[in-house]
Amino acid sequence: MNYFPDEVLEHVFDSIASHKDRNSVSLVCKSWYRIERYSRRRVFIGNCYSISPERLIARFPGLKSLTLKGKPHFADFNLVPYDWGGFVYPWIKALAESGIGLEELRLKRMVVSDESLELLSKSFANFKSLVLVSCEGFSADGLAAVAANCRFLRELDLQENEVDDHRGHWLSCFPESCTSLVSLNFACLKGEVNLGALERLVSRSPNLKSLRLNRLVPLDTLQKLLMRAPQLVDLGIGSYVHDPSSEASNKLKHAIQRCKSIVSLSGFLEVAPRCMSAIYPICGNLTTLNLSYAPGLHGNKLTKLIQHCRKLQRLWILDRIGDKGLGVVASTCKELQELRVFPSDPFGAGNDAVTEEGLVLVSAGCPKLNSLLYFCQQMTNAALITVARNCPNFIRFRLCILDPVKPDPVTNQPLDEGFGAIVQSCKRLKRLSLSGLLTDQVFLYIGMYAEQLEMLSIAFAADSDKGMLYVLNGCKKLRKLEIRDCPFGNSALLEDVGKYETMRSLWMSSCEVTLGGCKTVAEKMPSLNVEIINESDQTEFNLDEGQKVDKMYLYRTLVGHRKDAPESVWIL
Amino acid sequence: MESSSAYGNDLNLKATELRLGLPGTTDEETAAPGVRNNKRPLQAEDAGEKCGANGKSEPQNETAPPSKAQIVGWPPVQSYRKNNLQAKKTESEPGLYVKVSMDGAPYLRKIDLRVYKGYPELLQALENMFKFTVGEYSEREGYKGSEYAPTYEDKDGDWMLVGDVPWQMFITSCKRLRIMKGSEARGLGCGV
């Protein structure tokens, strides 16, 4: 099989970037496996408990970049106990002891202690990039260690983490010799940073392309930073409140106008709508705009802003934009690919919310739309059918009707036909989230048509086990299935336990599966960890097999039961 | 900068808090982790309206439709996002313009109180606008070290010293500002 010297194959493999492709390459034959593993630089591990750091290191000694994900997705919505797991420390410790030259670490939903960050900062001389998304467990002290010790740091990107950072000293810990920063994102931090240190840091970082500030960076500092970094490509404004007629505002306008490379704008954690006109000069270049933390922007001021953004490809917005505002998006943003509409008032009356009308308008005006997250008051089958016809290119389609079991308000029917149209039309659909009143029928459609589906989220849907069976039997590429509050029980769960080995994970909460059913899965499939999570009362781990299980999370693994589970988690 | 930090425990400032939403509702009805809803919400309020479905095979635990506030983890909005959005509702209000007069100045000015995050910024803006310095504030003695004192007329028509009450309470009760000068100012700030 091997007619080329190893170096040639290695060179060829270098051009194969996707994880999937590299995994496939490694399966061709023994020598390809060998060459691939030595030349592999980037590894993605979607579930940190599926493999151990030791085995990772043994197989990929040349590892430079590691991506790890910890808690299940539903942890975002408070459905997973805070101490469930997902600790990064053992990974960092093992990597540090192995001599691997780690340069990049990207973590999502993991517990990251200050101790881990300190160890990280001291163990890898060439460490360049730290990206933490939805993590917790660290404070400003950990960040200070990273700033102080990672001499060639290029990227420190903190996205939506819960950080204990009342002390802002960490930013002052970047040494004067640190001039390599390309990306700095501390928008999620709540503490004040030393503004002088921030200005000096930006001044000595000529390669800085991405800067996202937190709410406590005042306007005059923002203006100075922009003057020092006109080469910025991505800007996150923390606080944006000023008097448009003031001198400070004029200076800011001038500074913004100099930044001709900015294509991505976000933040606006605090904003006064009258001030947005200062942004207009750069709107024409924007491809990404995130206003989803700015409930103060709505009505005319918002639509006027949108009308300047003709090149927009990605828009994250609050539902205060309304259907009319989405109409403006539809007529202005012809290049739009991704739209996310978040609820500004998740529990409120939703006076400003969006409905099916807004979605239909966008689907008609933006033919390139392929990714959607849409929180709305209501949806109709007719609208979904229209959307499916207008936009057959959806890769991600996540619809969340705020009332979880709401039918089509016009016909009072379930939304089976509407979602059915989506899966039938969008042949490349990989991710789907359902909501509204749904019967088993929608799952029949999903099983029949959603051939590329990899991730499915279901809540308050279906009538019987048939729903789950349609999906498990039909969706051959399914990797992640998460279900809450559906009438799926043991016969669905146990129909084909081998299927779960082909998937990353299955989450079922408030369904009909019993302890006995879960135990059966665990017995038949030693390659799965079947976890029962019970938060309410420790003593409820009674052994009654007929007891319904509140939360079950199962996932495939090569390394057996994890040793770090808390008391609320029972691994069968 | 959580909104909760602005509310003291003793002053019942929630009563004067500006929020969106109907009076009598609170926005903190999110079910905390550990508060579980053991009841399965009804699939549809009238089971008979479900077309083509056999209906659920087991009886419901409750007959009332779920209120959104009771369901843990619904709607599926990231906790981080929920926590960071609540604090910003006040910014959706329109501007709060009040007149500012200064003793001896030929004309008045108007400022938008919502543009400022707190007293330091407001006082700085006033100092810049009228070219004076305001001195140092203390609860006991008012503004020391200057012949000026910033005052405001509140909803009851009384003239109050700026800085005594929490910021949120101030901006909702301030009708106009007046920068007093000279002996009149000192009389107001007198600690005796």
Side-chain angles (χ1 to χ4, degrees):
Chain A
M1 187 72 191
N2 221 9
Y3 303 120
F4 302 109
D6 289 1
E7 298 79 40
V8 173
L9 277 174
E10 216 182 282
H11 191 67
V12 171
F13 292 172
D14 271 351
S15 60
I16 301 171
S18 117
H19 294 293
K20 276 200 188 117
D21 288 343
R22 287 208 70 127
N23 293 345
S24 306
V25 155
S26 68
L27 292 175
V28 166
C29 64
K30 277 199 184 137
S31 59
W32 279 39
Y33 176 89
R34 177 177 43 84
I35 297 167
E36 198 282 323
R37 70 177 260 257
Y38 281 110
S39 62
R40 179 95 130 204
R41 299 285 168 258
R42 317 178 63 89
V43 173
F44 168 87
I45 296 177
N47 173 7
C48 64
Y49 291 118
S50 61
I51 190 71
S52 70
E54 290 74 27
R55 286 182 63 164
L56 170 75
I57 292 163
R59 179 169 171 190
F60 300 115
L63 183 68
K64 294 255 176 290
S65 162
L66 177 62
T67 302
L68 280 173
K69 291 189 180 180
K71 296 184 191 180
H73 176 227
F74 277 4
D76 283 352
F77 318 129
N78 291 340
L79 289 175
V80 174
Y82 78 97
D83 57 352
W84 174 86
F87 306 103
V88 77
Y89 184 77
W91 291 86
I92 296 180
K93 181 156 179 287
L95 287 161
E97 284 165 7
S98 70
I100 289 224
L102 193 70
E103 293 182 10
E104 178 177 272
L105 187 62
R106 310 169 73 96
L107 306 176
K108 185 167 185 179
R109 277 187 224 106
M110 294 203 65
V111 178
V112 181
S113 61
D114 282 342
E115 206 190 359
S116 335
L117 291 177
E118 269 169 68
L119 183 60
L120 175 75
S121 72
K122 294 188 177 145
S123 310
F124 307 106
N126 244 351
F127 193 76
K128 296 196 170 75
S129 169
L130 180 64
V131 180
L132 303 178
V133 180
S134 299
C135 296
E136 62 190 352
F138 61 101
S139 76
D141 291 345
L143 298 176
V146 172
N149 301 326
C150 300
R151 298 195 305 146
F152 303 113
L153 195 68
R154 287 202 203 144
E155 184 176 17
L156 180 61
D157 185 358
L158 308 171
Q159 297 177 31
E160 299 173 341
N161 302 289
E162 298 286 357
V163 186
D164 175 17
D165 69 306
H166 301 297
R167 298 168 58 201
H169 64 301
W170 64 276
L171 197 122
S172 316
C173 293
F174 282 105
E176 289 301 314
S177 54
C178 173
T179 57
S180 45
L181 272 183
V182 173
S183 166
L184 178 64
N185 172 5
F186 62 96
C188 65
L189 300 191
K190 304 217 167 41
E192 289 189 9
V193 294
N194 183 318
L195 300 175
L198 176 59
E199 286 172 44
R200 288 191 296 277
L201 179 63
V202 169
S203 299
R204 63 175 186 275
S205 303
N207 298 320
L208 192 69
K209 292 279 185 296
S210 168
L211 178 64
R212 296 193 183 189
L213 309 169
N214 75 357
R215 204 200 286 232
L216 295 185
V217 176
L219 212 71
D220 57 336
T221 305
L222 171 63
Q223 183 260 335
K224 286 183 204 161
L225 294 173
L226 292 177
M227 291 300 283
R228 284 169 171 67
Q231 78 282 3
L232 281 179
V233 166
D234 167 36
L235 175 64
I237 292 180
S239 172
Y240 195 65
V241 178
H242 53 95
D243 180 357
S245 58
S246 67
E247 178 61 29
S249 178
N250 281 333
K251 282 172 80 173
L252 181 67
K253 227 188 265 188
H254 171 69
I256 290 176
Q257 272 172 289
R258 284 178 78 235
C259 298
K260 301 199 188 302
S261 307
I262 293 182
V263 294
S264 165
L265 198 55
S266 63
F268 298 102
L269 309 174
E270 250 182 28
V271 62
R274 292 161 290 119
C275 311
M276 295 311 282
S277 52
I279 305 280
Y280 291 168
I282 55 166
C283 284
N285 295 331
L286 292 181
T287 56
T288 299
L289 180 59
N290 182 354
L291 298 172
S292 64
Y293 287 97
L297 283 180
H298 58 103
N300 286 339
K301 286 281 186 301
L302 179 56
T303 46
K304 256 182 111 179
L305 177 70
I306 303 273
Q307 278 167 329
H308 283 81
C309 304
R310 307 202 142 267
K311 285 197 196 160
L312 219 52
Q313 294 174 16
R314 184 191 287 170
L315 175 63
W316 292 24
I317 196 92
L318 288 171
D319 60 1
R320 303 206 77 190
I321 191 174
D323 289 331
K324 269 177 70 181
L326 287 177
V328 174
V329 173
S331 50
T332 311
C333 309
K334 297 303 183 187
E335 302 297 312
L336 197 68
Q337 295 178 26
E338 175 177 327
L339 175 67
R340 297 197 188 191
V341 181
F342 295 96
S344 55
D345 192 6
F347 303 109
N351 295 319
D352 298 302
V354 295
T355 71
E356 76 277 8
E357 289 180 21
L359 183 60
V360 169
L361 288 171
V362 174
S363 74
C366 308
K368 296 189 184 178
L369 197 63
N370 62 41
S371 175
L372 180 75
L373 172 61
Y374 197 74
F375 285 83
C376 57
Q377 281 296 312
Q378 61 182 47
M379 185 54 57
T380 64
N381 282 313
L384 284 174
I385 292 168
T386 305
V387 169
R389 194 175 46 236
N390 291 341
C391 292
N393 296 319
F394 275 115
I395 300 173
R396 275 167 242 110
F397 191 90
R398 296 155 70 190
L399 188 71
C400 179
I401 302 167
L402 291 170
D403 178 345
V405 292
K406 193 169 174 143
D408 179 330
V410 172
T411 64
N412 247 338
Q413 299 295 302
L415 291 174
D416 301 334
E417 298 306 310
F419 279 106
I422 294 285
V423 293
Q424 195 175 357
S425 162
C426 303
K427 307 214 185 302
R428 277 179 271 171
L429 194 68
K430 285 192 182 172
R431 183 170 180 182
L432 179 64
S433 297
L434 307 169
S435 60
L437 184 64
L438 295 163
T439 72
D440 288 342
Q441 183 72 8
V442 71
F443 299 104
L444 175 67
Y445 292 141
I446 292 173
M448 260 187 357
Y449 296 115
E451 291 175 9
Q452 302 299 319
L453 196 66
E454 296 181 8
M455 181 170 179
L456 179 62
S457 307
I458 311 171
F460 304 104
D463 312 308
S464 73
D465 285 338
K466 281 202 251 161
M468 185 165 166
L469 289 171
Y470 290 142
V471 171
L472 291 176
N473 291 334
C475 299
K476 302 293 178 211
K477 298 208 177 172
L478 196 63
R479 293 191 298 119
K480 287 181 279 183
L481 181 57
E482 43 187 31
I483 305 170
R484 64 164 293 179
D485 294 276
C486 294
F488 302 142
N490 291 341
S491 54
L493 180 68
L494 297 173
E495 168 92 357
D496 176 13
V497 293
K499 168 89 176 170
Y500 306 132
E501 214 177 31
T502 70
M503 292 166 53
R504 184 187 299 173
S505 64
L506 168 67
W507 168 283
M508 291 181 76
S509 60
S510 303
C511 296
E512 304 290 316
V513 295
T514 69
L515 184 57
C518 297
K519 277 188 172 175
T520 308
V521 177
E523 271 161 29
K524 288 190 176 174
M525 301 293 297
S527 58
L528 301 177
N529 277 352
V530 181
E531 298 191 2
I532 309 294
I533 300 169
N534 194 323
E535 283 181 90
S536 60
D537 192 334
Q538 313 290 30
T539 62
E540 260 183 68
F541 274 152
N542 72 55
L543 299 172
D544 174 11
E545 308 252 311
Q547 167 100 353
K548 277 197 212 144
V549 158
D550 190 41
K551 294 173 188 171
M552 178 203 74
Y553 180 55
L554 64 81
Y555 51 89
R556 68 180 174 191
T557 177
L558 292 175
V559 290
H561 288 191
R562 61 186 175 110
K563 308 281 185 299
D564 61 2
E567 276 195 39
S568 53
V569 174
W570 179 17
I571 308 182
L572 296 177
Chain B
M1 300 290 264
E2 303 295 327
S3 61
S4 54
S5 64
Y7 304 128
N9 294 328
D10 29 327
L11 289 173
N12 189 22
L13 292 169
K14 268 220 171 285
T16 57
E17 177 194 6
L18 280 177
R19 293 181 293 134
L20 293 178
L22 300 171
T25 61
T26 63
D27 52 13
E28 286 308 306
E29 283 176 48
T30 320
V35 173
R36 293 172 357 114
N37 179 15
N38 285 320
K39 302 170 188 159
R40 191 182 306 283
L42 205 59
Q43 292 289 0
E45 202 168 334
D46 302 319
E49 300 224 39
K50 283 189 347 175
C51 177
N54 295 330
K56 279 168 59 94
S57 47
E58 47 234 321
Q60 296 300 321
N61 291 343
E62 62 170 352
T63 49
S67 89
K68 287 172 226 166
Q70 279 176 13
I71 309 174
V72 177
W74 191 270
V77 177
Q78 252 193 331
S79 336
Y80 174 87
R81 184 171 282 283
K82 269 200 259 213
N83 294 339
N84 283 278
L85 201 54
Q86 304 285 25
K88 293 172 217 114
K89 291 220 165 127
T90 49
E91 265 131 74
S92 56
E93 311 286 345
L96 200 64
Y97 283 92
V98 297
K99 290 184 191 172
V100 190
S101 62
M102 167 131 136
D103 293 354
Y107 50 83
L108 281 62
R109 302 295 304 270
K110 248 194 174 165
I111 57 172
D112 176 6
L113 290 179
R114 289 206 194 280
V115 164
Y116 309 104
K117 280 197 277 261
Y119 288 117
E121 282 180 22
L122 170 65
L123 293 171
Q124 180 81 54
L126 291 175
E127 283 179 331
N128 291 341
M129 200 179 253
F130 291 100
K131 310 282 182 278
F132 72 105
T133 46
V134 85
E136 215 172 288
Y137 173 79
S138 73
E139 204 177 296
R140 224 173 135 269
E141 298 187 22
Y143 290 90
K144 262 186 79 167
S146 158
E147 42 170 354
Y148 297 96
T151 67
Y152 69 101
E153 187 183 359
D154 74 357
K155 283 188 181 138
D156 301 324
D158 297 320
W159 284 94
M160 317 286 294
L161 186 67
V162 169
D164 286 336
V165 301
W167 176 253
Q168 287 299 327
M169 191 187 220
F170 164 70
I171 62 175
T172 58
S173 54
C174 169
K175 279 171 52 184
R176 54 187 298 166
L177 282 156
R178 176 183 162 199
I179 302 170
M180 285 186 189
K181 186 179 165 177
S183 52
E184 216 185 335
R186 246 164 274 128
L188 197 70
C190 177
V192 188

